[in-house]
Amino acid sequence: MGRPTIADIAERVGVSKGAVSFALNGRPGVSEATRARILQAAKEMNWRPHSAARALGGSRAEAVGLVIARPASTLGVEPFFAQLLSGLQARLSAQSVAMHLLVVEDVEAEIEVYREWASAHRVDGFIMVDPQVRDPRIDALQELEVPAVVLGGPGRHGSLSSVWADDREAMLSVVDYLAALGHRRVAHVAGLPRFRHTQRRMRALRDSVRRLGLVEAVSVPTDFSDAEGAAATRALLSRGRRPTAIVYDSDVMALAGLGVAGEMGVRVPDELSIVAFDDSVLTRVTHPAITSLSRDTFALGGQVAEVLLELIADPGRPRDLKTATPRLVVRESTAPPSRDA
Amino acid sequence: MGRPTIADIAERVGVSKGAVSFALNGRPGVSEATRARILQAAKEMNWRPHSAARALGGSRAEAVGLVIARPASTLGVEPFFAQLLSGLQARLSAQSVAMHLLVVEDVEAEIEVYREWASAHRVDGFIMVDPQVRDPRIDALQELEVPAVVLGGPGRHGSLSSVWADDREAMLSVVDYLAALGHRRVAHVAGLPRFRHTQRRMRALRDSVRRLGLVEAVSVPTDFSDAEGAAATRALLSRGRRPTAIVYDSDVMALAGLGVAGEMGVRVPDELSIVAFDDSVLTRVTHPAITSLSRDTFALGGQVAEVLLELIADPGRPRDLKTATPRLVVRESTAPPSRDA
DNA sequence: AGTTTACGAACCGTGTATCGG
DNA sequence: TCCGATACACGGTTCGTAAAC
């Protein structure tokens, strides 16, 4: 005989399937004596629930879905994702909730996966990352009426829940710091312009120009790769009048930029200050170590998981959790601009 | 009405459920005309298969399971895991096979999850990592008669399949290189002794002593954390007669060791050579850059996925795939020992 | 008479074997 | 011989109902 079913237990104990189901789920409807006999038999027979059968009946799948529309190869490079995954796992596994993970080509494929997993009740909810301008995933998830948490904000995610950090505030703190050091020509090697958080950072920089009396404040969009980060840096440093400080939208790009500065004989921080959004071990082990906006990504993952689990347990009003604004950790890559720059 | 089922399609087209099932699965038993009408209706009604219902019938779950018995917090720190996950995803998502991921406390909990997922047919197969000495998971997976690939070898995994690299050969290449440089006192900051690959590396070092005429070759076990890596380094460098070279079982520990050497005023590579097992961006950005055993972990993940998918499609004899032996990439952290050392 | 206890059957959505036209 | 209908399996939950206390 294969794996035992509740029918097998029912037969052995001499009761009906229904009684076994009630007993195993701790629900009223059976006497304590019968319940004990059923539980005993289930234990002896090594019975385990069949989640597919349960899902068919409409109960919890005990899993959440994370679908990512990025090249799989970048996942291993960006410390951010690994940290986020760890944090999610730490919280989810505490309740034995698994994670259904899939990497897809683009946002349309991502939506299709949402539809499939939701209609098959494969997961109880979704985590959506990298919210974009006019993101079609928002509407899709709302239509599906499935619990979902968007990582990013504020706002613009309809009735979905969200967990977010204040990117604008973070960028302002960087620019304020650089201006206070005396920098007037600040460049920004940004990420993908279709991402909302990229837009927010670009706007924050632009908005600072007048307030801080900056002479120049240009944002160069990239695809987040170290290659484009290096290329953008090379272009910026080849200009007639160089920026005296560059802000990078990721630690990986900042690292690439630091390498380019070295190649071109531009001394950091004497001739060029470098700041990275997103902190990780990468920024700490370089020479000079890179001044970074630091946040606890592991904790962020935990918060996202927490909100999603709450939402699944009680799908009332949507949640909106603002997490701590990344704070600037000053290391060795920033200094006042040199006199002749 | 909620999501459409094959019964709804059957009603609309005016055929039986069975006919719809055959048509949607491209199986003989319906005329081409009927099939076309059914497919058309399914498309119009936006029908999607219900994986739970299928799983109940015993067909594919279109997912594989990865259960990891490590603290969740280490996943984000070890570049190895992120790279491996990326590689797995790259291969799996090409066939729209999802991954069921869960982090657990210990190996016993891991086995329990295997039992649950297998009996509920939640996944079609498993990937098992970190094989240990007398690993109870091997027996458990064999009993379950479910496709499974062990990452690590050679041998000792019964009827399960495996994908592995030659750890012994790799360690020998490191020791040979150090000996050729003139080192005679070599230390090894190892990982968890219960891991088979740790054991293999320790043995390989021990076996080299006579052959290469080493004066000293000690392995210090750790838990793979940067803290214990640092502590082990501190202990080794505090001895009367220091080792002139240290081999670390991970890049994270090598980094920690490099930091300790700096603190203690031990110059690398003049007074101490450092080599890391496992290469990543970490080893390239330090000063000095760390000589490492490099392998393509992303590709490794792809190979593991490939073998598992094959095994699921055709569960015949177990596979055993030896991957390329990690090759030594010499950077700036190794040099001949100084005269007075 | 009211409450506790348990039975039997229907149901969830899909796949497949049997059988009839 | 082909096409399609009917019926049941898969494992667990739920509901109406009836019997026992």
Side-chain angles (χ1 to χ4, degrees):
Chain A
M1 198 191 75
R3 51 183 299 284
T5 70
I6 57 167
D8 299 324
I9 300 176
E11 191 184 0
R12 167 145 157 190
V13 178
V15 295
S16 69
K17 275 169 52 177
V20 174
S21 178
F22 285 133
L24 291 173
N25 291 307
R27 300 173 44 142
V30 285
S31 66
E32 281 313 311
T34 309
R35 185 187 303 275
R37 279 165 54 222
I38 291 172
L39 290 177
Q40 176 66 20
K43 195 170 184 182
E44 284 173 15
M45 298 172 76
N46 213 8
W47 175 86
R48 268 166 245 280
H50 194 301
S51 63
R54 279 189 170 156
L56 202 52
S59 52
R60 293 279 163 74
E62 299 298 339
V64 299
L66 175 59
V67 188
I68 304 174
R70 287 198 187 187
S73 56
T74 66
L75 294 189
V77 177
E78 289 271 0
F80 176 79
F81 258 105
Q83 300 270 3
L84 183 72
L85 263 184
S86 308
L88 286 168
Q89 279 296 324
R91 183 65 190 83
L92 292 175
S93 62
Q95 285 189 19
S96 295
V97 171
M99 169 174 275
H100 228 54
L101 182 67
L102 188 63
V103 172
V104 294
E105 275 293 308
D106 50 39
V107 173
E108 277 63 45
E110 189 174 329
I111 291 174
E112 179 57 24
V113 173
Y114 286 157
R115 296 224 168 93
E116 282 174 12
W117 288 6
S119 85
H121 202 175
R122 232 167 136 136
V123 297
D124 302 315
F126 289 102
I127 295 157
M128 193 194 108
V129 297
D130 294 336
Q132 307 185 1
V133 180
R134 278 192 300 282
D135 200 316
R137 294 174 296 174
I138 306 272
D139 297 317
L141 284 170
Q142 280 179 314
E143 261 178 47
L144 289 172
E145 293 181 3
V146 64
V149 176
V150 175
L151 179 52
R156 305 290 181 159
H157 39 72
S159 64
L160 303 183
S161 293
S162 85
V163 174
W164 55 283
D166 195 331
D167 273 293
R168 178 181 179 81
E169 201 58 49
M171 177 56 108
L172 292 178
S173 75
V174 172
V175 186
D176 281 358
Y177 164 72
L178 291 172
L181 283 180
H183 292 275
R184 291 295 174 269
R185 315 184 78 86
V186 177
H188 172 209
V189 174
L192 285 165
R194 66 166 181 268
F195 286 172
R196 282 210 179 273
H197 67 257
T198 302
Q199 296 269 342
R200 289 204 178 85
R201 294 174 190 179
M202 289 171 59
R203 187 164 315 130
L205 174 60
R206 223 166 43 230
D207 292 350
S208 302
V209 172
R210 192 176 310 166
R211 182 172 52 90
L212 299 173
L214 301 185
V215 176
E216 187 191 340
V218 60
S219 285
V220 185
T222 71
D223 65 355
F224 277 115
S225 71
D226 55 343
E228 291 206 6
T233 307
R234 215 167 275 123
L236 287 167
L237 295 183
S238 303
R239 295 187 175 189
R241 285 194 72 81
R242 289 177 182 162
T244 60
I246 305 182
V247 182
Y248 292 86
D249 259 8
S250 80
D251 46 1
V252 171
M253 290 200 295
L255 200 65
L258 185 61
V260 168
E263 282 167 22
M264 296 178 68
V266 177
R267 282 170 297 135
V268 176
D270 304 340
E271 298 174 274
L272 177 70
S273 285
I274 281 181
V275 181
F277 258 86
D278 270 349
D279 197 15
S280 79
V281 63
L282 287 183
T283 54
R284 289 189 287 271
V285 299
T286 56
H287 281 277
I290 301 173
T291 296
S292 308
L293 274 169
S294 175
R295 67 171 155 191
D296 189 340
T297 309
F298 181 82
L300 180 67
Q303 290 172 303
V304 171
E306 177 71 32
V307 169
L308 182 53
L309 289 176
E310 264 184 37
L311 198 64
I312 290 169
D314 168 28
R317 71 206 177 299
R319 274 73 167 173
D320 189 280
L321 176 63
K322 181 186 177 193
T323 62
T325 300
R327 74 177 200 299
L328 193 65
V329 177
V330 176
R331 298 208 179 85
E332 305 153 8
S333 68
T334 44
S338 64
R339 194 64 63 82
D340 51 306
Chain B
M1 199 192 75
R3 52 182 300 285
T5 70
I6 57 168
D8 300 323
I9 301 176
E11 191 183 1
R12 167 147 157 189
V13 178
V15 294
S16 70
K17 279 171 33 180
V20 174
S21 179
F22 283 132
L24 290 172
N25 291 307
R27 302 176 44 126
V30 286
S31 66
E32 281 312 311
T34 311
R35 184 188 304 275
R37 279 164 53 220
I38 291 172
L39 291 177
Q40 176 66 21
K43 195 170 183 180
E44 285 173 15
M45 299 173 76
N46 212 10
W47 175 86
R48 270 166 244 280
H50 194 301
S51 62
R54 281 189 169 159
L56 198 53
S59 53
R60 293 278 163 75
E62 299 298 338
V64 299
L66 176 58
V67 189
I68 303 174
R70 287 200 188 185
S73 56
T74 65
L75 295 189
V77 177
E78 289 271 359
F80 176 79
F81 258 105
Q83 300 270 3
L84 183 71
L85 263 185
S86 308
L88 286 168
Q89 280 296 323
R91 182 66 190 81
L92 292 175
S93 62
Q95 286 189 18
S96 295
V97 171
M99 169 174 274
H100 227 53
L101 182 67
L102 188 64
V103 172
V104 295
E105 274 293 308
D106 51 40
V107 173
E108 277 62 46
E110 189 174 330
I111 290 174
E112 179 57 24
V113 174
Y114 287 157
R115 297 225 167 92
E116 283 175 11
W117 289 5
S119 84
H121 202 173
R122 228 165 142 143
V123 297
D124 301 315
F126 289 102
I127 295 158
M128 193 194 108
V129 297
D130 296 334
Q132 307 186 1
V133 181
R134 279 191 299 282
D135 200 316
R137 294 174 296 173
I138 305 271
D139 296 318
L141 285 170
Q142 281 179 315
E143 262 179 47
L144 290 172
E145 293 181 3
V146 64
V149 176
V150 175
L151 178 52
R156 306 289 181 161
H157 39 71
S159 64
L160 303 182
S161 292
S162 86
V163 173
W164 55 283
D166 195 331
D167 272 293
R168 177 181 179 81
E169 202 59 49
M171 178 57 107
L172 292 180
S173 75
V174 172
V175 186
D176 282 357
Y177 164 71
L178 291 172
L181 283 180
H183 292 275
R184 292 294 174 268
R185 315 184 77 86
V186 177
H188 173 209
V189 175
L192 285 165
R194 66 165 181 269
F195 286 172
R196 283 210 178 274
H197 67 258
T198 302
Q199 296 267 342
R200 288 204 179 85
R201 294 174 189 177
M202 288 171 59
R203 188 163 316 129
L205 174 61
R206 223 167 40 231
D207 292 350
S208 302
V209 172
R210 193 175 311 164
R211 181 170 53 90
L212 299 172
L214 301 184
V215 175
E216 188 190 340
V218 58
S219 285
V220 185
T222 72
D223 65 355
F224 277 114
S225 71
D226 55 345
E228 292 206 5
T233 306
R234 215 166 275 123
L236 286 168
L237 295 183
S238 303
R239 295 187 175 188
R241 286 193 72 79
R242 289 176 181 162
T244 60
I246 304 182
V247 182
Y248 292 85
D249 259 7
S250 80
D251 46 2
V252 172
M253 290 200 296
L255 201 66
L258 184 60
V260 167
E263 284 168 21
M264 295 178 70
V266 177
R267 283 170 297 136
V268 177
D270 305 340
E271 298 174 274
L272 177 70
S273 285
I274 282 181
V275 180
F277 258 86
D278 270 350
D279 197 16
S280 78
V281 64
L282 289 182
T283 54
R284 290 190 287 272
V285 300
T286 55
H287 281 278
I290 301 173
T291 296
S292 308
L293 273 170
S294 175
R295 66 171 156 191
D296 189 340
T297 309
F298 181 81
L300 180 68
Q303 289 173 302
V304 171
E306 177 70 33
V307 168
L308 182 54
L309 290 175
E310 264 183 39
L311 199 64
I312 290 169
D314 168 27
R317 71 205 176 300
R319 274 72 168 172
D320 190 281
L321 177 63
K322 182 185 176 192
T323 62
T325 300
R327 72 177 201 298
L328 194 65
V329 177
V330 176
R331 298 206 178 87
E332 304 154 7
S333 68
T334 44
S338 64
R339 195 63 63 82
D340 49 306

